[in-house]
Amino acid sequence: MSWLLTAAIPNPAPVAPPGLGDAVNTLLGWLKWGGLVAGVAGLLICGIMMMIGRRNRSAVAADGAAGIPWVLGGLTVIAFSAAIVGAVV
């Protein structure tokens, strides 16, 4: 009986409103670019923290090293964001 209910519910493909498709694509491109720039800056900051904390400041070096997986994780989510959304939807 439940197959009758799911067959009756329409599932249209996503369509951008007229005139908004290009603007949204531009905005998403800018956000992706900004995220990638922030990721590179984050890796540079982590490296600098590790260099500064090398002598007598081991907590700073540890914080820099601990930040690297988070930055790489964020970059991975940014790079695969469209594929992740496509797989979920």
Side-chain angles (χ1 to χ4, degrees):
M1 187 67 168
S2 64
W3 61 273
L4 289 175
L5 294 175
T6 57
I9 299 172
N11 187 12
V15 177
L20 273 179
D22 291 336
V24 171
N25 285 337
T26 300
L27 177 65
L28 291 175
W30 288 350
L31 289 172
K32 189 172 184 178
W33 178 83
L36 294 176
V37 169
V40 170
L43 287 174
L44 289 172
I45 291 169
C46 287
I48 291 169
M49 287 175 69
M50 290 170 63
M51 289 187 301
I52 290 172
R54 183 176 173 271
R55 296 215 181 233
N56 300 327
R57 294 180 194 92
S58 59
V60 175
D63 287 343
I68 292 174
W70 289 102
V71 174
L72 293 177
L75 286 170
T76 302
V77 170
I78 290 169
F80 294 114
S81 59
I84 293 169
V85 171
V88 172
V89 176

